[in-house]
């Protein structure tokens, strides 16, 4: 066995796999799999380093109507775009679920009240905060993660805080 470094071996080991049922790049891994629910095929797109696929969808049958159509570069790039969009929508949905905002007008002026939920497994909580029209924070309080933010609850909370 040689102790010398072989650059061609290092390059080959780092080369992405591009096979008929398995295709990958530096970021994504596509894998054509047998669909257990029927006679068809599915494709999964997994972000490198993550355990769960970001996308699983039906895959086209080949000409023999028995085997899957092989993966190729254009199909892989389309799958990457779709998987990226699914992840982006999921992140937006999560952000919308964890962040709420209402605008209120009081005798003291106009305010924007936000509720930011911290989904801790052991002790979830939320932070309630109010900003004035200039964007300056005027109040902040830690509340229960189940706090219901409405214009009325925000106005009542802010009235107590500013009193």
């Amino acid at each position: 066995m040689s102790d010398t470094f072989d650059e061609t071996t290092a390059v080959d080991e780092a080369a992405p796999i591009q096979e008929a049922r398995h295709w990958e790049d530096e970021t994504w891994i596509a894998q054509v799999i047998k669909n257990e629910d029927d006679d068809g095929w599915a494709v999964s797109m997994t972000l490198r380093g993550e355990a769960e696929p970001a996308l699983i969808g039906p895959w086209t049958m080949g000409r023999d109507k028995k085997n899957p159509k092989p993966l190729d570069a254009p199909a892989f790039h389309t799958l990457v775009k779709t998987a990226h969009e699914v992840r982006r929508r999921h992140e937006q949905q999560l952000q919308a679920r964890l962040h709420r905002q209402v605008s209120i007008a009081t005798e003291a002026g106009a305010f924007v009240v936000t509720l930011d939920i911290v989904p801790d497994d052991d002790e979830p909580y939320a932070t309630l905060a109010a900003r004035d029209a200039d964007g300056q924070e005027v109040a902040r309080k830690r509340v229960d993660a189940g706090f219901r933010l409405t214009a009325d609850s925000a106005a009542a909370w802010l009235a107590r805080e500013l009193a």
Side-chain angles (χ1 to χ4, degrees), residues 102-129:
V102 295
S103 297
I104 59 171
T106 68
E107 291 177 7
F111 297 91
V112 173
V113 178
T114 58
L115 178 72
D116 290 301
I117 299 170
V118 178
D120 187 285
D121 287 337
D122 297 327
E123 237 181 279
Y125 67 93
T127 302
L128 197 56

Side-chain angles (χ1 to χ4, degrees), residues 36-117:
E36 296 175 13
D37 295 336
D38 64 19
D39 293 332
W41 293 87
V43 64
S44 70
M45 290 295 293
T46 306
L47 191 60
R48 224 176 249 293
E50 292 197 359
E52 296 293 320
L55 171 72
I56 297 177
W59 189 244
T60 309
M61 297 289 262
R63 289 185 180 183
D64 65 1
K65 304 295 182 204
K66 216 169 27 170
N67 293 307
K69 177 182 165 189
L71 283 166
D72 58 13
F76 180 75
H77 293 298
T78 300
L79 288 166
V80 166
K81 286 180 186 176
T82 304
H84 181 72
E85 181 65 21
V86 166
R87 284 184 53 86
R88 189 180 68 77
R89 286 183 187 167
H90 176 74
E91 288 166 0
Q92 286 176 335
Q93 182 182 20
L94 181 62
Q95 175 63 21
R97 202 180 84 215
L98 299 178
H99 178 81
R100 300 262 191 319
Q101 176 176 311
V102 295
S103 297
I104 59 171
T106 68
E107 291 177 7
F111 297 91
V112 173
V113 178
T114 58
L115 178 72
D116 290 301
I117 299 170

Side-chain angles (χ1 to χ4, degrees), residues 119-163:
D120 187 285
D121 287 337
D122 297 327
E123 237 181 279
Y125 67 93
T127 302
L128 197 56
R131 295 188 178 278
D132 64 15
D134 295 328
Q136 296 295 317
E137 186 172 282
V138 295
R140 174 179 286 273
K141 181 179 181 181
R142 182 175 169 152
V143 296
D144 182 68
F147 183 89
R148 293 187 52 87
L149 180 63
T150 64
D152 290 339
S153 67
W157 168 70
L158 192 55
R160 286 190 305 273
E161 291 294 314
L162 297 178

